[in-house]
């Protein structure tokens, strides 16, 4: 019995996380040196990130019978992302005002050493641009440049155009489609091999976090951390649970189905670490390949629910801790600025701090130096952000698929109820692929 459970990846990852915490507490110096284990795993996943997204998007679009559906999926996905991310920002704003985790800290901004956040503030100063700049950035300087830099949105744009071109070519494009399908299988086999290292990566990443920052930093800013975790929990259970119910599936069953991916995210603190596996599993559960290919990659950028909750909570927390008075209008301005600055930053290392620095810099009244207060616990809160992002992306993909009529609900019920065996390490498409569900013309 024990051997049976120990053979499951999510159990191994959970053991790795526990071992990492123990190492961080007992031997902090040694634990800090284990950071490369987690970094190497993330780099291995990112190594196949661009090829997986490219192959999935191109294959999904190339097999579509009605090109109008592509625009319909994209437009509805953007509407969904905007509504959910706005709701996450508002929820964070409401909860931080109710709990007031920074009240009573009485920190003088003049005493804070802003040198430790100079990297983030300088990046924010150089990264703020107009909407036009953002749109122009979607177009890569070259295709190879987009792949070399792992620019998700640029890869998504080129993949969509290439998929449309192959769809228009019809039978003449079939040889390329066949090659891409074999290429896709090969990429997912690599992902399967890399995932065997997930327990080791989780151990190294968690050991580094606890060893470097210590459990003491959790206690000192425990109220903020507890508020953040509680808010993310409420968002998942209430908001995403409601969306799941409207979409005709059980959120709890979906979370059980994705338990290996969620434990990996917990250990690595990165939602990117499970993107290829998440895409595979959602295809198996009954979501069509075009929807998976479009929604998952774009959701990383436009639908970071966990980060949105963090942004408003962190901004208001700094104001509370430094006794900076904010009127209702000031807080609404923070919300409005974050609606813009929160888009397009996900997937960039330190993006949470960079986005927050850019937002506070536009406000003038909230001291940017107050971000120093968050340095000690930011890494501990990243797990909550990453898991919420991942769950939000998964639920959003299924919900959008249901919205556009591209979800095989019978298949989904069978898989989530355990009536259809699922092997995460196998190829993404069985002989009768679920991903071959094409949008109905009259959906």
């Amino acid at each position: 019995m024990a051997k049976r459970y120990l053979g499951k990846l999510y159990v191994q990852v959970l053991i790795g996380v526990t071992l990492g915490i123990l190492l961080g507490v007992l031997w902090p110096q040694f634990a800090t040196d284990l950071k490369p284990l987690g970094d190497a795993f993330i780099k291995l996943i990112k190594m196949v990130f661009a090829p997986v997204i490219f192959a999935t998007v191109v294959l999904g679009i190339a097999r579509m019978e009605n090109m109008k559906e592509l625009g319909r999926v994209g437009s509805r996905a953007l509407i969904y992302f905007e509504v959910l991310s706005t709701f996450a920002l508002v929820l964070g704003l409401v909860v931080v005002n109710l709990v007031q985790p920074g009240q009573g800290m009485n920190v003088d901004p003049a005493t804070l050493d802003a040198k430790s956040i100079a990297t983030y503030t300088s990046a924010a100063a150089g990264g703020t641009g107009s909407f036009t700049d953002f749109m122009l950035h979607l177009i890569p300087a070259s295709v190879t440049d987009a792949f070399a830099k792992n620019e998700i949105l640029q890869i998504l744009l080129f993949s969509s155009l290439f998929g449309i071109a192959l769809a228009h070519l019809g039978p003449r494009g079939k040889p390329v489609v066949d090659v891409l399908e074999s290429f896709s299988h090969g990429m997912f086999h690599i992902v399967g091999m890399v995932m065997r290292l997930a327990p080791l990566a989780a151990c190294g990443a968690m050991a580094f976090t606890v060893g470097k920052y210590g459990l003491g930093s959790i206690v000192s800013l425990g109220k903020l951390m507890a508020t953040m975790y509680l808010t993310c929990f409420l968002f998942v259970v209430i908001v995403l649970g409601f969306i799941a119910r409207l979409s005709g599936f059980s959120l709890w069953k979906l979370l059980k189905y994705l338990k290996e991916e969620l434990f990996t995210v917990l250990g690595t603190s990165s939602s990117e670490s499970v993107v290829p596996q998440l895409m595979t599993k959602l295809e198996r559960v009954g979501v069509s390949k075009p929807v998976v290919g479009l929604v998952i990659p774009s959701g990383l950028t436009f639908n970071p629910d966990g980060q949105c909750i963090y942004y408003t909570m962190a901004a208001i927390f700094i104001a509370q801790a430094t006794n900076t008075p904010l009127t209702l209008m000031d807080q609404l301005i923070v919300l409005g600025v974050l609606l813009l600055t929160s888009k397009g930053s996900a997937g960039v290392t330190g993006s949470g701090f960079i986005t927050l620095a850019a937002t506070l810099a536009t406000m003038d009244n909230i001291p940017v130096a107050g971000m120093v207060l968050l340095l000690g616990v930011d890494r501990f809160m990243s797990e909550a952000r990453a898991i919420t992002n991942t769950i939000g992306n998964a639920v959003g993909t299924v919900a959008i698929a249901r919205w556009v009529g591209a979800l095989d609900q019978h298949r989904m019920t069978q898989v989530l109820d355990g009536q259809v065996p699922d092997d995460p390490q196998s190829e993404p498409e069985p002989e009768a692929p679920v991903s071959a569900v094409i949008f109905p013309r009259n959906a």
Side-chain angles (χ1 to χ4, degrees), residues 23 122 151 188 206 212 225 230 296 352:
L23 288 173
S122 61
E151 291 281 358
F188 278 105
M206 193 59 69
K212 182 173 178 63
M225 283 195 58
L230 174 64
I296 291 292

Side-chain angles (χ1 to χ4, degrees), residues 81-93:
F81 293 157
E82 191 61 37
V83 170
L84 261 288
S85 58
T86 301
F87 198 94
L89 288 168
V90 172
L91 180 63
L93 191 66

Side-chain angles (χ1 to χ4, degrees), residues 86-223:
T86 301
F87 198 94
L89 288 168
V90 172
L91 180 63
L93 191 66
V94 170
V95 173
V96 77
N97 274 286
L98 289 175
V99 180
Q100 297 192 340
Q103 201 70 37
M105 292 185 70
N106 302 319
V107 176
D108 183 359
T111 64
L112 297 174
D113 181 14
K115 291 180 181 178
S116 54
I117 59 167
T119 303
Y120 303 106
T121 52
S122 61
T128 54
S130 65
F131 177 74
T132 304
D133 294 333
F134 174 75
M135 294 304 294
L136 287 175
H137 181 69
L138 294 180
I139 306 172
S142 68
V143 175
T144 53
D145 183 67
F147 279 86
K149 294 180 179 178
N150 258 357
E151 291 281 358
I152 298 171
L153 294 182
Q154 293 182 358
I155 295 169
L156 195 58
L157 173 64
F158 172 72
S159 303
S160 299
L161 294 175
F162 190 49
I164 292 170
L166 289 177
H168 280 296
L169 284 174
R172 288 181 295 165
K174 191 176 184 305
V176 178
V177 172
D178 291 340
V179 170
L180 278 175
E181 187 161 5
S182 298
F183 175 76
S184 174
H185 290 325
M187 288 297 104
F188 278 105
H189 271 300
I190 293 176
V191 172
M193 290 187 283
V194 173
M195 283 305 296
R196 297 179 187 275
L197 301 175
L200 192 61
C203 176
M206 193 59 69
F208 166 76
T209 300
V210 177
K212 182 173 178 63
Y213 300 108
L215 292 175
S217 59
I218 297 180
V219 176
S220 61
L221 292 171
K223 194 173 181 181

Side-chain angles (χ1 to χ4, degrees), residues 48-372:
V48 294
F49 209 68
V52 165
I53 291 175
F54 171 71
T56 303
V57 174
V58 172
L59 286 172
I61 295 176
R63 291 169 175 165
M64 289 175 69
E65 295 176 347
N66 189 348
M67 284 295 107
K68 290 182 180 179
E69 298 297 340
L70 178 62
R72 193 162 72 100
V73 173
S75 60
R76 294 190 181 190
L78 287 177
I79 292 171
Y80 177 91
F81 293 157
E82 191 61 37
V83 170
L84 261 288
S85 58
T86 301
F87 198 94
L89 288 168
V90 172
L91 180 63
L93 191 66
V94 170
V95 173
V96 77
N97 274 286
L98 289 175
V99 180
Q100 297 192 340
Q103 201 70 37
M105 292 185 70
N106 302 319
V107 176
D108 183 359
T111 64
L112 297 174
D113 181 14
K115 291 180 181 178
S116 54
I117 59 167
T119 303
Y120 303 106
T121 52
S122 61
T128 54
S130 65
F131 177 74
T132 304
D133 294 333
F134 174 75
M135 294 304 294
L136 287 175
H137 181 69
L138 294 180
I139 306 172
S142 68
V143 175
T144 53
D145 183 67
F147 279 86
K149 294 180 179 178
N150 258 357
E151 291 281 358
I152 298 171
L153 294 182
Q154 293 182 358
I155 295 169
L156 195 58
L157 173 64
F158 172 72
S159 303
S160 299
L161 294 175
F162 190 49
I164 292 170
L166 289 177
H168 280 296
L169 284 174
R172 288 181 295 165
K174 191 176 184 305
V176 178
V177 172
D178 291 340
V179 170
L180 278 175
E181 187 161 5
S182 298
F183 175 76
S184 174
H185 290 325
M187 288 297 104
F188 278 105
H189 271 300
I190 293 176
V191 172
M193 290 187 283
V194 173
M195 283 305 296
R196 297 179 187 275
L197 301 175
L200 192 61
C203 176
M206 193 59 69
F208 166 76
T209 300
V210 177
K212 182 173 178 63
Y213 300 108
L215 292 175
S217 59
I218 297 180
V219 176
S220 61
L221 292 171
K223 194 173 181 181
L224 173 62
M225 283 195 58
T227 306
M228 174 69 184
Y229 273 83
L230 174 64
T231 309
C232 288
F233 176 78
L234 292 175
F235 181 83
V236 170
V237 173
I238 298 174
V239 180
L240 296 183
F242 177 70
I243 293 172
R245 183 176 292 274
L246 283 181
S247 302
F249 67 94
S250 165
L251 175 64
W252 174 245
K253 289 182 179 179
L254 181 66
L255 296 184
K256 283 179 63 180
Y257 175 66
L258 298 175
K259 57 183 176 292
E260 291 183 355
E261 287 70 30
L262 296 179
F263 277 117
T264 301
V265 170
L266 174 66
T268 60
S269 299
S270 171
S271 52
E272 287 187 348
S273 63
V274 297
V275 167
Q277 309 92 284
L278 189 62
M279 294 172 77
T280 305
K281 279 202 162 183
L282 290 177
E283 280 185 44
R284 281 209 191 92
V285 88
V287 182
S288 71
K289 184 182 281 288
V291 173
V292 171
L294 287 172
V295 176
I296 291 292
S298 56
L300 284 176
T301 299
F302 292 106
N303 190 39
D305 298 325
Q307 278 185 266
C308 287
I309 292 171
Y310 169 78
Y311 291 146
T312 45
M313 291 192 70
I316 305 304
F317 168 79
I318 292 171
Q320 293 171 352
T322 56
N323 296 320
T324 303
L326 292 179
T327 64
L328 176 61
M329 183 55 66
D330 289 333
Q331 297 202 30
L332 291 178
I333 291 173
V334 171
L335 181 65
V337 173
L338 280 168
L339 283 174
L340 300 175
T341 56
S342 62
K343 302 295 185 291
S345 64
V348 180
T349 302
S351 62
F353 254 49
I354 294 170
T355 299
L356 189 58
T359 303
L360 297 184
T362 63
M363 292 294 300
D364 293 330
N365 52 352
I366 302 178
V368 180
M371 291 175 58
V372 173

